[in-house]
């Protein structure tokens, strides 16, 4: 496991809303689900994404965008003075169930004909749930709207997604969920790796042979009794070299990073395992006693573990 892969513990598709529609202009869709992340992919044609608080984005065939919620956003055939205005169709949870239209044709979507029809735009949308403190850490690393060009691995996964959406078959929702996971990972890697990008420090550090190895060790065994000396030995460098290189690339010393990651894991455990005691959570993330864990948790999170569990943040996780 690595820092990037670990964040997807709290970001996993399961029964996600999927829609596929072939639209003939003029059309206007408005997505009101309030999903934390929504993927939109244009298979044919073109249109304009209109997110709240961000400038419109023109999307052509093959383009994929990821939009952060919960604010609604629109998708229209045209914008500007010459655009024909039509009443937007709200696309929300009401059109998510198979009995209300199935995977191919969601209730309320204007279906203009088969994919590839002349002048038509085919759009595939997936609303993505994001849960817990681990998921929030991923959201914090992303802009409100990010766009991926139609190439690379993401493009190949998008083609598989389009093929699966077009058929009704046993186990389809499971396949769609896993393809959505795959597409999200590929899109985010492409976004972080793009020329001139500004990926999070923990992502960039994975490309370093020494610090990347240390990060993978910490994420593989977060509860282990790590010391800088042990990490340095495993990474094949001196203690001083690892400490400086890690701090320079990640922005904080190795054990500070480990403590913050342990507290992120603990925050989710406190809310997901209601019957677990603070001492049990402490042992799970590498602390031998509840007192030391509670002190570290309060130092990092600002509240004691029991208070966090009772807080609105903890209850909503």
């Amino acid at each position: 496991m690595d820092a990037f892969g670990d964040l997807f513990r709290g970001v996993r598709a399961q029964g996600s809303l999927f829609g596929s529609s072939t639209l003939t202009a003029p059309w206007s869709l408005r997505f009101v689900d309030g999903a934390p992340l929504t993927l939109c992919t244009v298979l044919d044609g073109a249109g304009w994404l209109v997110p709240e608080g961000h400038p419109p984005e023109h999307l052509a065939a093959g383009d994929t965008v990821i939009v952060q919620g919960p604010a609604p956003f629109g998708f229209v055939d045209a914008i500007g003075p010459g655009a024909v205005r039509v009443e937007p169709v709200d696309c929300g949870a009401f059109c998510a169930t198979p009995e209300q239209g199935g995977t191919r044709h969601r209730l309320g979507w204007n279906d203009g004909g088969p994919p590839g029809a002349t002048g038509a735009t085919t759009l595939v949308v997936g609303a993505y749930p994001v849960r817990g403190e681990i998921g929030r850490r991923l959201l914090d690393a992303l802009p409100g709207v990010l766009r991926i060009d139609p190439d690379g691995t993401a493009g190949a996964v998008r083609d598989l997604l389009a093929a699966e959406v077009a058929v009704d078959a046993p186990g389809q929702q499971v396949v769609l969920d896993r393809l959505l996971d795959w597409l999200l990972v590929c899109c985010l890697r492409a976004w972080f790796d793009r020329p001139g990008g500004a990926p999070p420090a923990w992502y960039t550090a994975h490309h370093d042979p020494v610090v990347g190895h240390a990060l993978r060790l910490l994420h593989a065994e977060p509860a282990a009794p790590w010391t800088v000396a042990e990490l340095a030995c495993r990474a094949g460098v001196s203690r001083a070299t690892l400490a400086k290189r890690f701090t320079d690339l990640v922005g904080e010393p190795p054990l500070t990073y480990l403590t913050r990651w342990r507290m992120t894991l603990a925050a989710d455990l406190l809310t997901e395992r209601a019957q677990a005691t603070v001492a049990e959570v402490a042992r799970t993330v590498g602390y031998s006693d509840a007192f030391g864990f509670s002190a570290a948790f309060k130092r990092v999170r600002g509240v004691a573990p029991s208070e966090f569990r009772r807080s609105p943040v903890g209850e909503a996780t």
Side-chain angles (χ1 to χ4, degrees):
M1 187 61 72
D2 55 50
F4 182 59
D6 235 352
L7 296 186
F8 286 86
R9 292 188 192 185
V11 186
R12 185 59 60 91
Q14 186 169 354
S16 300
L17 166 63
F18 261 84
S20 175
S21 188
T22 302
L23 307 164
T24 302
W27 44 265
S28 176
L29 303 178
R30 184 169 172 81
F31 296 91
V32 296
D33 293 278
L37 285 179
T38 303
L39 273 74
C40 301
T41 296
V42 178
L43 303 183
D44 299 294
W48 287 86
L49 182 84
V50 187
E52 289 191 359
H54 297 272
E57 286 266 358
H58 183 259
L59 303 180
D63 286 341
T64 297
V65 293
I66 300 174
V67 184
Q68 275 207 55
F73 63 93
F75 189 73
V76 299
D77 63 295
I79 59 174
V84 178
R85 297 186 179 277
V86 295
E87 190 67 22
V89 174
D90 281 349
C91 300
F94 70 89
C95 62
T97 59
E99 56 270 23
Q100 290 181 314
T103 299
R104 291 191 63 193
H105 309 296
R106 295 299 188 189
L107 182 65
W109 292 44
N110 176 25
D111 188 3
T118 303
T121 294
T122 302
L123 175 70
V124 175
V125 179
Y128 213 100
V130 179
R131 303 181 181 91
E133 294 297 301
I134 296 175
R136 289 193 183 101
R137 188 170 179 175
L138 176 62
L139 292 179
D140 288 345
L142 304 178
V145 178
L146 63 89
R147 173 177 174 168
I148 306 300
D149 293 329
D151 53 16
T153 307
V157 180
R158 184 193 59 246
D159 292 342
L160 292 173
L161 178 66
E164 185 63 28
V165 166
V167 299
D168 288 313
Q172 184 183 48
Q173 186 65 64
V174 176
V175 175
L176 291 175
D177 286 340
R178 298 293 74 79
L179 285 173
L180 184 56
D181 287 339
W182 191 6
L183 181 59
L184 181 65
V185 172
C186 291
C187 285
L188 295 185
R189 283 196 307 204
W191 172 260
F192 288 150
D193 289 336
R194 75 194 191 285
W202 49 259
Y203 183 86
T204 304
H206 272 288
H207 297 293
D208 183 85
V210 173
V211 178
H213 185 54
L215 280 169
R216 284 187 286 274
L217 289 171
L218 294 178
H219 280 266
E221 302 178 71
W226 291 110
T227 63
V228 177
E230 176 63 18
L231 275 174
C233 179
R234 297 278 293 272
V237 295
S238 70
R239 182 182 182 280
T241 297
L242 175 66
K244 184 180 186 307
R245 202 154 162 176
F246 195 104
T247 303
D248 288 346
L249 293 179
V250 180
E252 57 187 351
L255 298 189
T256 301
Y257 177 91
L258 175 61
T259 298
R260 293 173 67 85
W261 178 242
R262 283 174 169 175
M263 296 309 107
T264 299
L265 296 174
D268 281 350
L269 291 172
L270 287 167
T271 54
E272 292 169 1
R273 301 182 186 178
Q275 304 306 314
T277 66
V278 172
E280 288 170 337
V281 172
R283 287 192 294 271
T284 301
V285 297
Y287 287 79
S288 59
D289 66 272
F291 179 79
F293 163 71
S294 296
F297 192 92
K298 187 169 185 178
R299 185 172 66 252
V300 173
R301 310 290 304 194
V303 296
S306 56
E307 293 177 64
F308 176 84
R309 180 174 258 169
R310 294 192 300 265
S311 71
V313 173
E315 292 173 356
T317 299

